[in-house]
């Protein structure tokens, strides 16, 4: 007879099966790793946890998906900590999965972008405070009387806050504490920024601006996903229009994200926001102190910060209840990240809004061709502002044909431009000279032997920076003191600077206008704090002539600026980039738009050797519609984005042979699919960067082609990355260098 007592006893007292969850860790693994959950811990999808990975403890996030049946829970390592912070919600996890799949990036790397403030995962410690205990001090002085009157309502104060509000020193507070007049309490940490008030300032919009605001507000009140494009000339009041959308979203109890291409430099924007809402938004960019970034991350997750103005990475902040995204200067290339995870923040903002079902507003005076096509197709709603705010006039724009009005020998400024600068300075107004080239000269060579100074680690010339006494590579940062003699032939004093940079233009300006206050504005002259001070100085009229790079095109408002001179308007038209005409049109339009924003009569002069080029004609005629129509037609004929799709694959290695061999192996492994072709491999235009040789494959397909599946198959079937080989995949590339 079979004895079942042992098996029954075993079933009753068998150890319960441990719970197993998938955890995404910041590693280039294709999937999440499985971890066991200790009995004393409780986790849910989205929870931020600490887990062992090899010999280290790393941050991870519990992901969606059931338990892997092939995994033995007994052999798994355990989650070591669950952080006390809000989990990443379902919409955020879906968004991160979508970004990983679209960009062909490891999911852990994408999740890492949402976990960039590890010290913020635990709550901030409480701070010590004081509360009036109801007792009278032994001796009542006038100072103590002020303190008691301020604290009589029984509210809690910090010591410094109570002293400041009462107008006394902290020693007065200390004396009252010693006598037991105040009792110690613990207070939650204060919010980093005050809550914005949607009704703080009156809406002063009128005419087209008011109509535009009403159109956006109608869309917001309907609810749900929608994309609006505010397409308005420079100075047309686009910011004030979308401020009304922010106010409406705040009234609905939701959070707002404003993406800006150069948030670290836009102090003027923060002040305008404060004037409208009574407080500044939370900031998010790389120049923030670590502690401040941690506070922003935590208070966004808990909902204490209602509005964030940030760079592209702010898109991955874990908002508690996000209800609107604004993408200002949506055309700007700075929204494209080209490091580890390659993504375009403008496009990903639209995706995040669609997933969470809320509206997104794109804003630009020179919208991207992609956004223009989406408006034509009816996917986006265009809101057009054809005139400047308060009917201020646009600048008069003229071309200077450099073949007919050349500069004097050794110079770069046409006599026509110099005369106009002189007149502006005489009137007490400001002139801006724009050249999108840093340093003194882009190339230095020996006029005896022809030696050119090239970076030893990159296939690029060394740029002379005369202010710093260096020649520098703008790709890897390599630099050395500016030499006096040619290293090739040894000849002294025969090195010549070829071409102008902003420093060389400044030298020429000082020669012609020695009494004018001249300021050079460039990203490599000082840090962010210095640039902010210089921008403020320009706005306050503390400079007569400003020489600047593309930093000056970022939406700044200079009240006294009435003349803009473009030194080399042709500079971006000959680099082989499919977007060269679009980028040049956008940049020059934005720069000339700095003139006359407060209503003064203004002038824009563009020095060019190609006055008949369609871009030049479109800018001076003000006929942006004709330019976009022509550009869209050419893109459609060539099946270039947005009518076709591109994926760039860069293979780099320590040796040229390794890089080329791996790139050829990838091409041979590509599947045969109708409508998709591969160009290359060929050396990238910048064939050597930081000592690594680079080859490029360009995959071109139709608009409806499944490019991700094609590239994924090619990478899986192709040679594996070994030794020094690295492969970077850029879906929808913006740069072709």
């Amino acid at each position: 007879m079979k004895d079942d007592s042992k098996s029954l006893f075993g079933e009753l007292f068998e150890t319960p099966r441990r719970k197993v969850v998938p955890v995404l860790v910041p590693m280039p693994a294709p999937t999440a790793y499985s971890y066991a959950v200790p009995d004393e811990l409780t986790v849910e999808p989205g929870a931020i946890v600490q887990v062992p990975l090899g010999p280290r403890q790393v941050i991870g996030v519990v992901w969606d998906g059931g338990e892997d049946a092939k995994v033995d829970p007994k052999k798994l390592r355990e989650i070591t900590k669950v952080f006390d912070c809000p989990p990443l919600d379902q919409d955020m996890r879906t968004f991160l999965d979508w970004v990983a799949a679209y960009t062909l990036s490891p999911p852990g790397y994408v999740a890492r972008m949402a976990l960039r403030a590890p010290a913020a995962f635990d709550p901030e410690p409480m701070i010590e405070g004081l509360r009036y205990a109801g007792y009278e001090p032994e001796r009542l002085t006038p100072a103590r009387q002020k303190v008691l009157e301020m604290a009589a309502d029984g509210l809690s104060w910090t010591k410094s806050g109570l002293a400041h509000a009462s107008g006394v020193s902290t020693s007065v507070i200390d004396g009252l504490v010693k006598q037991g007049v105040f009792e110690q309490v613990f207070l939650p940490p204060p919010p980093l920024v005050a809550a914005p008030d949607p009704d703080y300032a009156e809406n002063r919009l009128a005419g087209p601006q008011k109509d535009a605001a009403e159109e956006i507000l109608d869309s917001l009140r309907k609810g749900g996903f929608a994309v609006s494009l505010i397409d308005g000339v420079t100075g047309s009041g686009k910011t004030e229009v979308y401020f009304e959308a922010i106010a409406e979203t705040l009234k609905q109890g939701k959070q707002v994200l404003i993406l800006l291409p150069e948030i670290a430099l836009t102090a003027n924007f923060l002040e305008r926001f404060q004037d409208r809402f009574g407080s500044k938004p939370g900031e998010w960019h790389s120049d923030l102190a670590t502690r401040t970034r941690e506070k922003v991350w935590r208070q966004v997750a808990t909902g204490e910060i209602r509005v964030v103005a940030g760079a592209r990475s702010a898109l991955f902040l874990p908002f508690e209840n996000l209800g609107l995204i604004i993408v200002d200067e949506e055309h700007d290339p700075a929204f494209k990240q080209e490091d580890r995870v390659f993504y375009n923040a403008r496009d990903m903002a639209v995706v995040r809004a669609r997933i969470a079902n809320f509206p997104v507003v794109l804003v630009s005076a020179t919208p991207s061709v992609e956004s223009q096509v989406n408006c034509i197709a009816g996917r986006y709603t265009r809101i057009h502002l054809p005139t400047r705010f308060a009917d201020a006039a646009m600048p008069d724009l003229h071309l200077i044909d450099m073949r007919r009005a050349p500069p004097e020998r050794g110079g770069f400024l046409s006599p026509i431009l110099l005369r106009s600068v002189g007149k502006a300075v005489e009137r007490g107004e400001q002139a801006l000279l724009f050249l999108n080239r840093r340093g003194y000269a882009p190339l230095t060579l020996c006029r005896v032997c022809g030696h050119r100074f090239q970076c030893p680690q990159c296939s690029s010339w060394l740029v002379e920076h005369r202010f710093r006494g260096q020649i520098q590579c703008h790709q890897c940062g390599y630099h050395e003191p500016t030499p006096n003699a040619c290293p090739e032939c040894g000849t002294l004093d025969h090195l010549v600077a070829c071409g102008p940079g902003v420093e060389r233009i400044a030298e020429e300006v000082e020669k012609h206008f020695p009494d004018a206050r001249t300021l050079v504005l460039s990203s490599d002259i000082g840090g962010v704090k210095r640039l902010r001070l210089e921008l403020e100085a320009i706005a306050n009229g503390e400079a007569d002539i400003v020489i600047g790079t593309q930093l000056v095109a970022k939406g700044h408002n200079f009240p006294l600026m009435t003349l803009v001179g473009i030194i080399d308007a042709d500079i971006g038209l000959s680099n082989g980039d499919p977007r060269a005409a679009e980028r040049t049109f956008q940049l020059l339009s934005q720069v000339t738009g700095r003139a006359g924003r407060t209503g003064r009569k203004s002038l824009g002069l563009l020095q060019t050797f190609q006055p008949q080029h369609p871009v030049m004609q479109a800018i001076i005629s003000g006929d942006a519609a004709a330019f976009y129509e022509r550009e869209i037609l050419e893109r459609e004929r060539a099946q270039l984005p947005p009518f076709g799709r591109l994926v760039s694959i860069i293979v780099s290695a320590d040796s040229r042979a390794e890089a080329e061999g791996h790139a050829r192996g990838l091409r041979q492994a590509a599947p045969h699919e109708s409508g998709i072709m591969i160009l290359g491999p060929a050396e990238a235009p910048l064939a050597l960067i930081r000592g690594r040789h680079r080859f490029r494959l360009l995959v071109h397909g139709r608009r409806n082609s499944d490019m991700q599946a094609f590239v994924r198959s090619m990478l899986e079937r192709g040679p594996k990355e070994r030794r020094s080989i690295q492969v970077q995949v850029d879906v929808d590339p913006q740069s072709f260098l």
Side-chain angles (χ1 to χ4, degrees):
M1 182 176 176
K2 185 178 179 181
D3 185 1
D4 292 331
S5 60
K6 290 184 179 180
S7 61
L8 179 61
F9 183 84
E11 289 176 8
L12 290 173
F13 293 95
E14 184 178 338
T15 303
R17 181 181 174 85
R18 294 198 300 177
K19 184 179 180 181
V20 176
V21 294
V23 177
L24 273 185
V25 293
M27 294 287 292
T31 59
Y33 292 157
S34 294
Y35 284 89
V37 181
D39 294 338
E40 67 273 15
L41 298 181
T42 302
V43 299
E44 60 179 307
I48 298 173
V49 297
Q50 179 179 284
V51 294
L53 186 66
R56 300 177 297 139
Q57 293 286 329
V58 300
I59 303 299
V61 55
V62 177
W63 216 242
D64 300 285
E67 181 179 326
D68 188 346
K70 299 178 182 178
V71 174
D72 183 357
K74 296 178 182 178
K75 297 181 179 179
L76 291 178
R77 304 177 79 177
E78 293 184 338
I79 292 173
T80 53
K81 180 178 181 179
V82 180
F83 290 95
D84 183 11
C85 69
L88 303 185
D89 63 24
Q90 179 64 63
D91 288 339
M92 186 63 171
R93 300 197 303 276
T94 302
F95 173 64
L96 296 177
D97 274 336
W98 197 98
V99 173
Y102 187 84
T103 62
L104 297 173
S105 303
Y109 277 175
V110 179
R112 182 185 184 187
M113 296 193 293
L115 305 174
R116 285 188 170 173
F121 300 155
D122 282 320
E124 292 184 71
M126 302 288 279
I127 59 176
E128 292 184 6
L130 302 171
R131 185 170 56 207
Y132 181 48
Y135 303 115
E136 292 295 322
E138 296 174 358
R139 185 169 59 90
L140 190 63
T141 65
R144 289 178 171 180
Q145 181 66 38
K146 291 180 183 179
V147 174
L148 295 180
E149 289 174 356
M150 186 63 62
D153 56 8
L155 295 178
S156 299
W157 293 79
T158 62
K159 183 171 71 173
S160 59
L162 180 57
H164 179 75
S166 305
V168 302
S169 68
T170 55
S171 61
V172 176
I173 311 295
D174 291 335
L176 293 172
V177 170
K178 285 181 181 178
Q179 295 185 33
V181 176
F182 287 95
E183 61 182 356
Q184 187 180 53
V185 294
F186 287 93
L187 306 172
L192 192 64
V193 291
D197 179 1
D199 297 316
Y200 180 79
E202 184 182 355
N203 176 357
R204 294 179 294 175
L205 298 179
Q209 290 78 20
K210 185 176 182 180
D211 294 340
E214 286 299 326
E215 190 170 350
I216 290 182
L217 292 177
D218 287 344
S219 175
L220 285 172
R221 289 162 184 155
K222 290 177 184 175
F225 171 74
V227 183
S228 301
L229 171 67
I230 303 179
D231 172 11
V233 298
T234 54
S236 60
K238 298 184 293 294
T239 303
E240 284 71 19
V241 169
Y242 72 66
F243 275 177
E244 298 313 304
I246 294 172
E248 176 62 27
T249 306
L250 291 173
K251 290 175 183 178
Q252 295 175 3
K254 298 177 181 177
Q255 293 168 292
V256 179
L257 169 61
I258 309 167
L259 293 178
L260 296 156
E262 293 288 352
I263 177 62
L265 300 179
T266 50
N268 176 257
F269 170 84
L270 302 177
E271 291 169 2
R272 290 170 69 182
F273 187 94
Q274 186 171 22
D275 290 343
R276 173 62 181 85
F277 296 100
S279 66
K280 290 185 178 180
E283 293 183 57
W284 182 266
H285 52 82
S286 59
D287 197 57
L288 288 179
T290 301
R291 186 72 185 118
T292 304
R293 285 172 64 86
E294 292 163 357
K295 284 178 174 286
V296 172
W297 193 97
R298 180 82 189 187
Q299 293 180 17
V300 165
T302 58
E304 293 172 84
I305 290 181
R306 308 305 300 165
V307 180
V308 173
R312 59 180 180 248
S313 59
L315 189 61
F316 295 89
L317 286 171
F319 287 87
E320 180 208 33
N321 186 19
L322 186 58
L324 174 67
I325 299 178
I326 308 285
V327 186
D328 205 346
E329 308 290 357
E330 64 89 25
H331 66 280
D332 200 296
F335 283 126
K336 176 73 178 193
Q337 173 161 301
E338 296 176 330
D339 178 35
R340 190 165 289 183
V341 177
F342 289 62
Y343 69 91
N344 189 314
R346 176 199 64 209
D347 299 340
M348 297 304 105
V350 174
V351 172
R352 183 162 187 188
R354 177 179 284 279
I355 289 172
N357 197 34
F358 60 75
V360 60
V361 177
L362 311 180
V363 186
S364 178
T366 54
S368 62
V369 167
E370 286 83 355
S371 293
Q372 295 278 12
V373 171
N374 279 326
C375 287
I376 293 170
R379 290 185 286 269
Y380 296 176
T381 300
R382 184 195 303 277
I383 299 172
H384 188 52
L385 295 172
T387 60
R388 281 186 161 179
F389 189 70
D391 293 324
M394 295 292 291
D396 294 328
L397 301 179
H398 300 281
L399 299 178
I400 299 176
D401 188 340
M402 297 295 281
R403 299 167 300 181
R404 297 182 179 181
E408 64 181 41
R409 185 176 178 82
F412 300 94
L413 303 178
S414 165
I416 298 173
L417 180 55
L418 286 171
R419 285 195 297 270
S420 298
V421 171
K423 291 177 182 178
V425 173
E426 287 175 8
R427 294 192 301 266
E429 298 168 349
Q430 291 174 322
L432 168 64
L433 300 179
F434 170 79
L435 177 63
N436 201 21
R437 191 181 280 145
R438 293 178 286 161
Y440 183 83
L443 171 64
T444 301
L445 56 78
C446 175
R447 61 163 59 99
V448 175
C449 71
H451 173 75
R452 300 182 177 193
F453 287 84
Q454 182 172 342
C455 177
Q457 304 176 128
C458 305
S459 51
S460 59
W461 308 122
L462 293 177
V463 177
E464 181 181 355
H465 288 258
R466 193 158 292 188
F467 289 0
R468 298 202 302 261
Q470 294 179 344
I471 50 176
Q472 179 181 347
C473 174
H474 286 173
Q475 300 301 323
C476 69
Y478 170 86
H479 59 85
E480 59 184 67
T482 304
N484 295 318
C486 174
E488 192 70 24
C489 68
T491 307
L492 284 167
D493 301 326
H494 276 72
L495 300 180
V496 59
C498 300
V502 286
E503 294 177 12
R504 195 169 192 178
I505 297 301
E507 184 178 86
E508 185 174 354
V509 165
E510 289 169 1
K511 171 187 169 184
H512 288 283
F513 307 102
D515 297 328
R517 297 170 298 173
T518 304
L519 180 64
V520 176
L521 201 63
S522 176
S523 60
D524 53 11
I525 301 177
V528 168
K529 290 182 180 178
R530 176 174 171 176
L531 286 170
R532 277 188 167 182
L533 290 173
E534 289 175 340
L535 289 166
E536 184 178 345
I538 297 169
N540 293 335
E542 297 171 17
D544 301 315
I545 304 172
V546 180
I547 300 104
T549 61
Q550 63 181 353
L551 285 176
V552 299
K554 302 293 184 180
H556 308 297
N557 186 26
F558 304 132
L560 295 178
M561 191 77 68
T562 59
L563 173 68
V564 171
I566 310 295
I567 307 303
D568 187 354
D570 310 322
I571 196 170
L573 293 174
S574 57
N575 61 9
D577 189 329
R579 293 184 174 87
E582 177 192 2
R583 293 259 175 85
T584 301
F585 175 80
Q586 290 166 338
L587 184 58
L588 298 185
S589 298
Q590 293 282 344
V591 173
T592 54
R594 298 311 103 202
R597 292 171 68 93
T598 56
R600 295 171 181 252
K601 183 175 176 58
S602 57
L603 176 66
L605 298 174
L606 291 78
Q607 295 188 165
T608 176
F609 288 93
Q610 305 177 68
Q612 299 306 315
H613 194 285
V615 170
M616 302 304 156
Q617 292 299 312
I619 289 174
I620 63 165
S621 68
D623 193 354
F627 169 77
Y628 280 113
E629 183 178 351
R630 178 181 177 276
E631 190 70 12
I632 289 170
L633 182 61
E634 289 190 1
R635 297 269 189 98
E636 189 170 16
R637 285 173 178 166
Q639 289 295 288
L640 289 172
F643 302 100
R645 300 192 60 199
L646 294 174
V647 177
S648 174
I649 302 173
I650 295 288
V651 179
S652 64
D654 290 342
S655 74
R656 187 181 187 280
E658 271 189 296
E660 183 177 13
H662 193 91
R664 293 190 181 280
L666 286 178
R667 167 147 194 167
Q668 291 170 2
H672 297 284
E673 188 165 327
S674 175
I676 299 180
M677 65 176 179
I678 302 179
L679 305 175
E683 278 193 312
L686 287 173
L688 184 69
I689 294 183
R690 295 181 176 87
R692 295 184 61 81
H693 297 264
R694 305 166 76 244
F695 275 77
R696 187 181 71 185
L697 294 158
L698 193 61
V699 185
H700 179 267
R702 301 191 185 103
R703 180 181 175 85
N704 60 353
S705 299
D706 190 346
M707 304 289 278
Q708 280 80 5
F710 181 90
V711 173
R712 192 178 294 111
S713 174
M714 180 170 66
L715 295 175
E716 290 173 353
R717 295 164 54 179
K720 305 306 175 189
E721 296 179 36
R722 294 187 177 89
R723 297 186 294 276
S724 67
I725 295 289
Q726 289 182 3
V727 178
Q728 290 182 329
V729 179
D730 184 359
V731 179
D732 304 329
Q734 296 286 313
S735 171
F736 292 86
L737 298 178

